[in-house]
Amino acid sequence: MALETEIKFRVADLAGFRRRLEAAGFHEETPRSFESNVLYDTPDRQMRTRTEILRIRSYAGKWVLTHKRMPDTPGSERHKHRIETETYFSDDEALTEIFRSLGLVAAFRYEKWRTEWSDGEGECVVDETPIGDFAELEGAAEWIDRVSARLGVDASEHIMLSYGRLFELWRQEHGSAAEDLTFAAVGALRRE
């Protein structure tokens, strides 16, 4: 169990941002890999009401189970803080069946192409999603502020929202009926 501290921001130019990361001393840890996520919840969305998530993620040949919840004491307003518990596993079908047996349902799916970077002190991930490109800085709050400034990202550009919430806002803005943040669902609606 760890306290996750992060911010997101939009990336308009992926190639240019890669150059900025390299100039800031980052090295690529995981090359661009497809990531698929499924959030599970009760049918009446009790976990969402409590601001919790239970996620199965497939990424770079690995399966990860993650539970996130709000910390017992609030953190700073400038960063997103969550208590995060993760474990790796090997049989997604068995875990999915366990969830179903417990009465949990697949509540939301989202996909992205992710590249992971590190400077040895913290992590920057670059996510190419169906609704745009984003980066996340994750590490100590002071490191996030320092690196954000070094990358030329103003604090006013910081986003503390989840991809689920960003998708809800995108749906409202575009009048979209897509239920999941997948390339097929969003792409099909963009082509209509």
Side-chain angles (χ1 to χ4, degrees):
M1 193 166 53
L3 178 65
E4 174 189 64
T5 304
E6 69 179 23
I7 57 111
K8 284 184 184 68
F9 52 91
R10 291 190 178 276
V11 176
D13 173 11
L14 289 173
F17 187 65
R18 180 184 182 103
R19 288 190 296 274
R20 287 168 34 206
L21 284 170
E22 290 169 344
F26 280 80
H27 62 276
E28 187 178 280
E29 289 213 327
T30 305
R32 184 177 185 263
S33 300
F34 183 72
E35 179 182 299
S36 175
N37 300 273
V38 181
L39 300 184
Y40 285 85
D41 204 336
T42 60
D44 60 354
R45 306 298 190 257
Q46 290 179 22
M47 292 182 72
R48 182 178 179 163
T49 301
R50 294 189 311 259
T51 321
E52 293 182 48
I53 69 155
L54 183 62
R55 176 183 68 207
I56 292 179
R57 171 175 283 170
S58 170
Y59 172 63
K62 298 176 187 165
W63 291 95
V64 184
L65 173 63
T66 304
H67 176 262
K68 292 186 185 188
R69 66 175 176 84
M70 299 295 289
D72 296 331
T73 56
S76 78
E77 297 288 321
R78 297 184 342 260
H79 308 98
K80 180 178 176 182
H81 301 277
R82 298 287 181 271
I83 301 295
E84 179 179 72
T85 307
E86 287 189 324
T87 190
Y88 291 90
F89 65 97
S90 60
D91 190 342
D92 68 308
E93 290 178 15
L95 190 56
T96 298
E97 184 55 35
I98 290 168
F99 286 176
R100 283 189 195 120
S101 296
L102 294 171
L104 300 175
V105 296
F108 178 60
R109 297 175 191 281
Y110 63 104
E111 300 172 337
K112 54 192 166 186
W113 287 91
R114 172 170 275 188
T115 308
E116 294 180 321
W117 296 78
S118 176
D119 69 351
E121 206 177 327
E123 181 180 67
C124 179
V125 297
V126 178
D127 291 333
E128 301 166 54
T129 81
I131 59 170
D133 300 327
F134 298 86
E136 291 182 3
L137 294 176
E138 183 176 339
E142 301 78 21
W143 176 86
I144 290 172
D145 294 340
R146 186 174 68 249
V147 170
S148 176
R150 192 170 28 172
L151 292 172
V153 179
D154 189 77
S156 66
E157 299 174 72
H158 293 182
I159 300 169
M160 267 64 77
L161 303 175
S162 67
Y163 282 116
R165 183 68 183 121
L166 288 170
F167 180 55
E168 287 175 11
L169 294 172
W170 180 88
R171 285 176 32 151
Q172 290 170 5
E173 180 182 339
H174 292 87
S176 173
E179 293 185 18
D180 292 314
L181 179 54
T182 63
F183 290 97
V186 172
L189 290 169
R190 284 184 165 176
R191 288 189 294 274
E192 289 178 356

